[in-house]
Amino acid sequence: MRLYTAFPPSGSAAYWRALRSPSLPLEVLVLAVRSAGLDEAGRNTILEILIQRIQRSCEYWARCVVRSLSSGEHIALVEDLCADLYESLIRLWLDPHAHFWEENFQHSLLFQRRKIYKRFLLREGFDQNRQGKRIPRSLFSRLEYHEGVISPFETLDRTELYSLVQLLPEKLRTAVLFVFWYGWTEKDTARVLGVTDRTIRNRLRKAFLSLRSILD
């Protein structure tokens, strides 16, 4: 705080030179973006400086964590993950109540990365318990438009879906996991479980109805 209060007058050329210094602690930049008297353009400039300072390390982190996922879309996933992270960071940097960024920037950044990565896995349909296997998007479309009726799932945050499925009774949960998580056909699922195709379809139907009840 003392370092920031000793800064040149806000908005002056010296002020911006000081903020662009690569040796300036990131905590000070967070203080600057929250300071009174800045217009929107000034805040956006400081936000850009903050992103530029951490961009290389964030992209390296994203490439490392995405590398473990079984997907042929690594480049797109890295871009999406970074975009999610930057969006969340900007909201936090502008939040005057998030004081921890002014006290320990790097620790706060590590915590936020872990949080965003977990949310990203769920949203993109990766089951963390199955080494990055992806949940087909067909699951979402079946839930949203089952029997041709738009259900409450059209407004559901997809990050909540995995947790909701875990609330189903075991037989219903197993049917949903086998067909949608593991990509099995209804016929293969029926053969492994020792039941008929019709039973699997009935279980999926009951699962959809149960999930709607949970939402209600």
Side-chain angles (χ1 to χ4, degrees):
M1 178 64 77
R2 287 197 302 269
L3 181 59
Y4 181 69
T5 55
F7 258 45
S10 178
S12 65
Y15 174 83
W16 290 112
R17 281 197 301 271
L19 287 183
R20 294 182 186 279
S21 171
S23 62
L24 183 69
L26 293 166
E27 291 83 355
V28 177
L29 282 169
V30 175
L31 279 170
V33 82
R34 297 173 176 177
S35 64
L38 271 181
D39 58 15
E40 184 176 355
R43 282 194 298 271
N44 289 341
T45 298
I46 300 176
L47 290 172
E48 290 176 5
I49 296 172
L50 274 163
I51 295 296
Q52 290 170 1
R53 288 280 302 272
I54 65 171
Q55 186 173 6
R56 180 176 296 180
S57 67
C58 287
E59 290 178 354
Y60 176 77
W61 160 77
R63 288 195 298 271
C64 289
V65 296
V66 164
R67 192 177 300 148
S68 64
L69 302 178
S70 58
S71 171
E73 307 170 346
H74 285 167
I75 295 178
L77 291 176
V78 167
E79 293 176 351
D80 289 347
L81 180 55
C82 285
D84 288 353
L85 177 63
Y86 296 149
E87 181 180 354
S88 71
L89 291 178
I90 289 173
R91 285 199 301 268
L92 288 167
W93 293 337
L94 293 174
D95 182 358
H97 301 293
H99 300 296
F100 39 86
W101 289 93
E102 303 168 11
E103 300 164 1
N104 193 322
F105 186 98
Q106 291 299 335
H107 179 77
S108 300
L109 179 59
L110 291 174
F111 176 83
Q112 191 64 15
R113 282 175 178 173
R114 289 194 294 268
K115 181 178 179 180
I116 292 300
Y117 181 57
K118 182 177 180 180
R119 185 185 303 168
F120 176 81
L121 289 178
L122 290 173
R123 189 197 71 204
E124 292 296 321
F126 287 102
D127 182 354
Q128 299 175 74
N129 297 321
R130 299 196 69 250
Q131 299 179 344
K133 297 297 183 181
R134 197 165 198 173
I135 306 165
R137 293 187 183 276
S138 59
L139 173 59
F140 301 116
S141 61
R142 283 283 294 275
L143 287 170
E144 293 172 357
Y145 301 105
H146 185 54
E147 296 182 338
V149 179
I150 298 178
S151 75
F153 282 91
E154 66 178 341
T155 59
L156 176 65
D157 184 344
R158 292 183 176 184
T159 62
E160 301 177 50
L161 182 54
Y162 182 80
S163 298
L164 290 179
V165 171
Q166 298 305 309
L167 298 176
L168 294 172
E170 182 178 358
K171 289 183 179 180
L172 305 186
R173 182 174 67 248
T174 300
V176 172
L177 291 176
F178 274 36
V179 173
F180 292 103
W181 262 253
Y182 306 161
W184 291 16
T185 64
E186 293 176 358
K187 184 176 182 178
D188 289 339
T189 302
R191 185 177 67 253
V192 169
L193 297 180
V195 298
T196 65
D197 299 6
R198 181 182 179 85
T199 297
I200 294 300
R201 287 192 292 272
N202 286 338
R203 289 181 182 179
L204 290 174
R205 174 184 172 84
K206 290 178 180 178
F208 299 143
L209 294 175
S210 295
L211 287 170
R212 287 199 186 97
S213 297
I214 293 172
L215 280 179
D216 293 338

